[in-house]
Amino acid sequence: LVCVGPFQVASSLVRKFEHFPPAILRALGQAAVGLSVSDIENSITDEDLEASIPALGKVSGWNAEQSSTIINKLLSSGYQIPNGQSLATLGSLMAGLNSSTLQSLSPEVILEAIQLPEFVQ
């Protein structure tokens, strides 16, 4: 009897795909945590990644490298965090924000975000 953990199952699922448009990323749900850094960098377009942020932000269990890769890819493609809602939408991906990016956000963005229930969670 071989016991496999949730990460192994998620990794097996995502290996079935070559490209990850928003519909697939949404459908994967929690299994998206199985995306490799290579998948994130090479198999998701900038536009698809941005469109998928609401779904990816709800996934728990991202490791530091995954969340940093997603956030860095977003920011390098011109993604902006103009308000608290856009910050809150990042959800579990917020761990990928580096300190300089956080410090560059206006206090108003932070104050707005901390008033949103989804941000506090």
Side-chain angles (χ1 to χ4, degrees):
L1 181 63
V2 175
C3 184
V4 293
F7 184 77
Q8 288 88 358
V9 171
S11 294
S12 303
L13 277 172
V14 299
R15 275 191 235 116
K16 306 261 183 222
F17 301 96
E18 290 181 25
H19 301 288
F20 297 91
I24 289 176
L25 291 169
R26 281 191 302 274
L28 284 172
Q30 185 59 40
V33 78
L35 290 166
S36 69
V37 168
S38 177
D39 291 333
I40 295 163
E41 291 173 337
N42 303 313
S43 300
I44 307 172
T45 67
D46 294 345
E47 297 80 18
D48 288 347
L49 185 61
E50 186 170 341
S52 302
I53 290 305
L56 296 177
K58 293 177 182 164
V59 173
S60 60
W62 296 113
N63 67 39
E65 192 176 14
Q66 288 170 308
S67 60
S68 292
T69 301
I70 291 170
I71 293 295
N72 291 335
K73 183 170 178 152
L74 279 171
L75 295 175
S76 69
S77 72
Y79 184 78
Q80 300 288 312
I81 304 172
N83 54 45
Q85 185 60 55
S86 60
L87 181 61
T89 300
L90 293 175
S92 60
L93 296 169
M94 281 192 50
L97 287 169
N98 63 38
S99 59
S100 63
T101 302
L102 283 171
Q103 290 172 347
S104 72
L105 297 175
S106 74
E108 292 79 19
V109 169
I110 305 296
L111 288 172
E112 182 184 334
I114 62 175
Q115 295 175 23
L116 298 168
E118 61 269 30
F119 181 81
V120 176
Q121 291 173 347

